[in-house]
């Protein structure tokens, strides 16, 4: 069953120079207990899409169109109070800047108390603290740190605490927006391993956003590739393990050094991501695409089903 | 927490050193100036004073022919026993009792004006930032900046002229009505409040804009920070985010400003007290200067210096309590 369905989501940023379409017609679905990964370069709109789906974007961002359905509830039509209740009870987020996500003048415990009280005011203080201690243990942090201030903890610890905080109300969907980008590789691995264990135990779904494609291949069940605000390819992770079909996806793979197999030349995608203020016509990837044809610069390719659950937006590849 | 205590004690040590320097300067400066209080008194009595009286007076003012260090020790001894000498203009009242009265009125007037202005200004600033671009945010800052831009003495005189003299709604001078005696009785307390209303109002009007703008600007910075977005995303109520996450953090830099202002309160609001003839520290100071009342001036300078130092220490304590990042 679908937990979250995002349909033709459009997000605009209102800038002094005009409207910037950060997310253009993005659709995806997350089933219960599934892990959907969204990959893309900086500025591809992946974080914006996730935050828009959760409706936590403030001005100058504006949801310009589309629908977000969470278990048959229309998220974009929720009132402020409904939204407030929906947040954290059903969906929670670990933000990109999780290191700065904690209020520097409150001890860790207060963050848990505030969060749990906002949703379950009937819980006694003792119960809340007990739950907070349990949550910290879940992410391998000694509960005595409940009394610490954020600045007294290391980056990895703060990140774990933010994850524990995100799980405080046992949500069904956890959005992780580049949760480990600021951490070193060893800590990153440990944290992801722990999150995956918890995911198996508790059965929540994850929307994992990153620019690290190889990381996603290890644990995602579905994968979506964003380029300049549009989804270019989305499908089961197996498709991507085989290297993907869209020329951009393939380009991303060539930019990752291979540890196994024959040594190949390390190729980066030529050119740079387009300006979102003035995106190229047609397929937005065509100026950098090795396969581009005349049609690509004129007609915008739509996402088309090319196999079971596998969708692609490419004129050339969907014809082959 | 031990480290915090250690930090506070270290600050206290520093402030004590600064206070000692101030006390020493306070001793030296008048002795380096030409003339002395006794000569002023002599001049005031137009020579109708015998040399013996002058010598006696000099001794009363602590000006003896003893060596400097001995005078200094005597000065310190007197100072720590609360003896700041005798006022010339209010002869033979001791300076300490004059300052005690002035200080009381100054704390009452400037202190309440500061507290009202600070609370009102920071609340308005927080709300303006919270509803950025709203009515409050569009009207209040320019209006208050305009009011704050008028020269204070001009505004105060205008207010006094219109509401005190023209309309007669408020008294023109003094801190309490004639015929009441200071103490815990309602005619005196009500009268004192009535007398303080107009000068306090001018002080609030003049300073409100500063507090509001400072709070608004820090708050806008804080509202853009990640922990605010994250607090909202966690489903916290707006009220809680506003008070516990945004306003509380934005208040921290303003506490420093408040502490500094508090120090100056004890020095009296000079212009206000002059314009409204309000018997506080500032009014005393101007009187002392006019009458060349050195002992009183010295006493006032000393209390002002000590008050500023004390206020700084107070800010250190409050900041330490409110901002855990300053504790190490």
């Amino acid at each position: 069953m679908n937990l979250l369905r995002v349909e033709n989501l459009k997000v605009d940023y209102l800038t002094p120079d005009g409207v910037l379409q950060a997310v253009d017609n993005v659709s995806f679905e997350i089933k219960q207990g599934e892990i959907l990964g969204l990959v893309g370069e900086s500025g591809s709109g992946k974080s914006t899409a996730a935050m828009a789906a959760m409706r936590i974007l403030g001005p100058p961002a504006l949801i310009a169109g589309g629908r977000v359905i969470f278990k048959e509830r229309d998220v974009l039509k929720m009132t402020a109070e409904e939204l407030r209740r929906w947040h954290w009870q059903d969906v929670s987020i670990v933000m990109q800047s999780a290191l700065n996500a904690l209020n520097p003048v409150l001890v860790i415990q207060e963050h848990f108390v505030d969060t749990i009280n906002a949703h379950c005011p009937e819980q006694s203080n003792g119960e809340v603290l007990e739950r907070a201690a349990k949550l910290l243990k879940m992410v391998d942090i000694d509960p005595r740190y409940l009394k610490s201030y954020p600045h007294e903890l290391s980056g990895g610890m703060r990140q774990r605490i933010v994850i524990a905080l995100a799980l405080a109300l046992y949500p069904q969907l956890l959005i992780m927006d580049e949760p480990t980008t600021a951490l070193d590789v060893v800590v990153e691995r440990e944290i992801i391993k722990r999150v995956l264990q918890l995911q198996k135990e508790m059965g929540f779904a994850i929307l994992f956003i990153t620019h690290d494609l190889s990381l996603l291949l290890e644990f995602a069940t579905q994968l979506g590739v964003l380029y300049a605000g549009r989804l270019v390819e989305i499908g089961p992770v197996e498709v991507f393990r085989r290297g993907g079909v869209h020329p951009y996806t393939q380009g991303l793979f060539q930019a990752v050094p291979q540890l196994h197999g024959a040594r190949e030349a390390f190729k980066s995608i030529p050119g740079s991501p387009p300006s979102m203020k003035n995106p190229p016509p047609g397929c937005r990837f065509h100026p950098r695409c090795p396969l581009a044809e005349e049609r690509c610069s004129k007609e915008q390719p739509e996402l088309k089903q090319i196999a079971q659950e596998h969708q692609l937006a490419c004129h050339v590849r969907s014809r082959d | 927490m031990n480290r915090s205590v250690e930090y506070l004690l270290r600050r206290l040590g520093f402030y004590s050193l600064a206070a000692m320097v101030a006390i020493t300067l306070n001793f030296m400066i008048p002795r380096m100036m030409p003339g002395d209080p006794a000569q002023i008194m002599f001049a005031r009595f137009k020579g109708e004073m015998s040399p013996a009286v002058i010598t006696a007076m000099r001794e009363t003012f602590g000006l003896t022919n003893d060596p400097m260090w001995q005078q200094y020790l005597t000065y310190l001894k007197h100072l720590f026993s609360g003896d700041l000498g005798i006022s010339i203009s209010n002869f033979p009242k001791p300076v300490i009792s004059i300052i005690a009265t002035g200080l009381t009125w100054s704390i009452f007037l400037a202190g309440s004006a500061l507290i009202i202005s600070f609370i009102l200004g920071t609340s308005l600033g927080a709300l303006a930032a919270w509803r950025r671009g709203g009515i409050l945010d569009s009207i209040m800052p320019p209006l208050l900046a305009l009011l704050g831009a008028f020269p204070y003495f001009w505004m105060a005189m205008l207010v006094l002229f219109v509401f005190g003299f023209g309309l007669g709604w408020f008294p023109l001078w003094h801190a309490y009505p004639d015929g009441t005696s200071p103490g815990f009785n309602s005619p005196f307390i009500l009268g004192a409040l009535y007398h303080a209303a107009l000068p306090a109002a001018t002080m609030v009007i003049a300073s409100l804009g500063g507090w509001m703008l400072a709070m608004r600007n820090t708050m806008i910075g804080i509202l853009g920070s990640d922990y605010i977005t994250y607090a909202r995303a966690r489903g916290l109520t707006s009220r809680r985010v506003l008070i516990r996450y945004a306003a509380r953090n934005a208040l921290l830099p303003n506490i420093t400003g408040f502490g500094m202002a508090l120090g100056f309160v004890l020095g009296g609001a000079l212009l206000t007290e002059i314009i409204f003839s309000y018997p506080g520290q500032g009014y005393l100071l101007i009187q002392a200067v006019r009458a060349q009342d050195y002992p009183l001036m010295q006493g006032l300078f000393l209390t002002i210096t000590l008050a500023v130092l004390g206020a700084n220490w107070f800010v250190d304590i409050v900041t330490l309590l409110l901002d855990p990042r300053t504790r190490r």
Side-chain angles (χ1 to χ4, degrees):
Chain A
M1 188 196 138
N2 276 334
L3 192 61
L4 181 78
R5 199 166 80 234
V6 173
E7 286 172 11
N8 306 322
L9 187 67
K10 285 183 189 192
V11 185
D12 291 348
Y13 279 96
L14 307 174
T15 68
D17 319 329
V19 176
L20 188 150
Q21 293 183 322
V23 173
D24 189 11
N25 251 332
V26 166
S27 307
F28 55 83
E29 285 167 3
I30 303 174
K31 294 186 181 65
Q32 241 146 18
E34 196 181 67
I35 303 176
L36 171 69
L38 281 184
V39 239
E41 290 164 291
S42 304
S44 59
K46 51 195 192 304
S47 299
T48 305
M51 284 168 80
M54 206 178 155
R55 250 183 91 185
I56 53 171
L57 276 179
L62 179 89
I63 299 177
R67 295 213 304 164
V68 178
I69 309 291
F70 184 88
K71 286 178 125 184
E72 274 141 45
R73 292 173 70 193
D74 192 332
V75 174
L76 301 185
K77 288 201 178 109
M78 285 184 189
T79 63
E81 182 57 20
E82 283 171 341
L83 194 66
R84 187 185 78 72
R85 290 181 173 282
W86 178 62
H87 283 157
W88 240 250
Q89 278 193 332
D90 288 321
V91 56
S92 65
I93 185 168
V94 176
M95 292 201 301
Q96 200 164 7
S97 50
L99 296 184
N100 305 320
L102 301 168
N103 184 345
V105 304
L106 294 183
V107 292
I108 301 305
Q109 182 177 308
E110 301 286 330
H111 291 85
F112 282 95
V113 171
D114 278 351
T115 310
I116 297 171
N117 278 348
H119 296 280
C120 330
E122 71 286 349
Q123 284 217 355
S124 76
N125 230 11
E127 283 172 326
V128 172
L129 291 186
E130 213 172 283
R131 190 145 142 204
K134 206 175 120 199
L135 286 160
L136 279 200
K137 275 189 211 144
M138 269 171 29
V139 291
D140 306 319
I141 294 216
D142 193 311
R144 73 192 158 97
Y145 290 111
L146 278 174
K147 297 257 187 277
S148 303
Y149 286 95
H151 70 274
E152 297 171 330
L153 306 171
S154 72
M157 286 171 86
R158 269 185 274 177
Q159 192 67 39
R160 283 163 194 268
I161 286 167
V162 170
I163 290 168
L165 201 53
L167 298 176
L169 296 157
Y170 309 114
Q172 293 173 297
L173 174 63
L174 177 64
I175 297 177
M176 302 190 88
D177 184 2
E178 307 217 26
T180 51
T181 308
L183 304 174
D184 67 69
V185 187
V186 178
V187 180
E188 175 179 50
R189 291 285 143 171
E190 281 172 12
I191 289 182
I192 288 178
K193 216 172 101 190
R194 193 79 198 118
V195 170
L196 294 176
Q197 276 172 3
L198 291 170
Q199 191 248 352
K200 284 208 180 69
E201 286 163 28
M202 297 164 67
F204 51 84
I206 300 179
L207 173 57
F208 200 101
I209 292 153
T210 179
H211 56 258
D212 189 346
L213 182 58
S214 54
L215 185 72
L216 278 180
L217 290 182
E218 291 174 33
F219 58 80
T221 45
Q222 299 280 316
L223 228 152
V225 180
L226 275 164
Y227 184 77
R230 284 187 191 155
L231 265 179
V232 293
E233 186 170 6
I234 185 164
V237 73
E238 290 74 30
V239 173
F240 294 90
R241 291 221 176 93
R242 279 182 258 121
V245 177
H246 196 280
Y248 176 64
T249 314
Q250 292 177 335
L252 281 181
F253 275 105
Q254 279 165 350
V256 178
Q258 301 292 316
L259 287 178
H260 307 288
R263 208 167 69 168
E264 282 171 49
F266 183 69
K267 268 193 281 179
S268 65
I269 305 171
S272 50
S275 149
M276 296 299 283
K277 273 179 201 151
N278 193 9
C283 173
R284 288 184 177 174
F285 187 57
H286 84 263
R288 301 169 74 188
C289 183
L291 308 175
E293 297 172 351
E294 205 192 330
R295 186 181 170 203
C296 299
S297 59
K298 286 179 186 141
E299 233 175 280
Q300 179 188 330
E302 299 297 330
L303 264 183
K304 274 184 222 147
Q305 192 93 17
I306 57 164
Q308 180 72 24
E309 290 195 327
H310 184 198
Q311 289 175 298
L312 183 72
C314 178
H315 292 308
V316 182
R317 279 287 156 78
S318 50
R319 192 181 53 214
D320 298 341
Chain B
M1 211 56 205
N2 278 336
R3 289 193 154 207
S4 307
V5 173
E6 192 193 305
Y7 168 76
L8 281 182
L9 288 177
R10 211 169 54 230
R11 300 297 291 175
L12 185 63
F14 170 75
Y15 291 134
S16 310
L17 193 71
M20 266 328 278
V21 172
I23 288 170
T24 309
L25 282 176
N26 203 38
F27 166 79
M28 284 167 64
I29 290 171
R31 279 167 180 76
M32 291 193 294
M33 290 194 296
D36 64 53
Q39 283 175 1
I40 298 166
M41 287 291 271
F42 182 72
R44 193 167 287 180
F45 285 91
K46 298 198 173 71
E48 293 165 18
M49 230 186 222
S50 69
V53 177
I54 294 177
T55 321
M57 296 243 342
R58 283 176 63 88
E59 271 169 26
T60 322
F61 291 120
L63 297 164
T64 54
N65 289 325
D66 291 338
M68 261 320 196
W69 63 269
Q70 213 169 340
Q71 286 189 36
Y72 183 59
L73 285 182
T74 322
Y75 163 80
L76 284 184
K77 206 179 88 196
H78 286 173
L79 190 68
F80 285 108
S81 55
D83 182 1
L84 294 178
I86 308 258
S87 162
I88 298 172
S89 51
N90 295 287
F91 192 80
K93 260 194 177 172
V95 166
I96 190 91
S97 75
I98 297 176
I99 290 183
T101 321
L103 203 57
T104 316
W105 288 117
S106 272
I107 292 176
F108 172 61
L109 175 68
S112 30
L114 173 67
I115 290 169
I116 293 171
S117 182
F118 181 75
I119 293 176
L120 204 63
T122 44
S123 317
L124 283 174
L127 282 177
W130 188 251
R131 301 190 196 289
R132 195 176 172 182
I135 300 173
L136 187 70
D137 191 29
S138 334
I139 294 177
M140 287 303 267
L143 185 73
L144 290 175
L146 183 74
L147 285 176
F150 290 127
Y152 174 75
F153 64 91
W154 181 84
M155 195 259 292
M157 285 198 290
L158 186 74
V159 167
L160 180 66
F161 179 75
V162 173
F163 296 99
F165 185 75
L167 297 168
W169 292 351
F170 290 97
L172 292 174
W173 49 63
H174 294 328
Y176 56 93
D178 294 338
T180 60
S181 56
F184 268 103
N185 54 73
S186 55
F188 168 72
I189 292 173
L190 289 175
L193 287 173
Y194 182 47
H195 276 74
L198 206 55
T202 61
M203 291 170 78
V204 170
I205 290 169
S207 58
L208 196 61
W211 293 121
M212 181 175 174
L213 284 180
M215 183 65 180
R216 177 189 173 270
N217 294 345
T218 28
M219 180 104 166
I220 280 178
I222 301 260
L223 283 175
S225 64
D226 295 322
Y227 56 84
I228 299 291
T229 319
Y230 200 58
R232 285 192 217 220
R234 295 210 303 277
L236 267 59
T237 53
S238 300
R239 247 179 78 92
R240 206 157 177 82
V241 176
L242 168 65
I243 294 167
R244 229 166 124 79
Y245 286 75
R248 193 201 141 142
N249 292 40
L251 207 55
L252 293 173
N254 288 324
I255 292 284
T256 315
F258 178 76
M260 301 296 289
L262 200 65
F264 291 115
V265 161
L266 306 184
L270 196 68
L271 289 174
T272 319
E273 290 173 5
I274 294 169
I275 291 167
F276 292 92
S277 310
Y278 200 88
Q281 294 274 84
Y283 191 59
L284 284 182
L285 186 62
I286 205 81
Q287 278 184 326
V289 171
R290 277 192 196 136
Q292 286 188 296
D293 189 344
Y294 287 111
L296 185 55
M297 268 192 266
Q298 256 183 295
L300 285 167
F301 289 141
L302 197 64
T303 24
I304 293 171
T305 316
L306 293 182
V308 171
L309 290 174
N312 277 339
W313 197 53
F314 173 73
V315 170
D316 284 342
I317 297 176
V318 173
T319 314
L320 210 57
L321 288 176
L322 291 181
D323 190 348
R325 286 166 295 185
T326 52
R327 295 174 217 152
R328 270 175 302 141

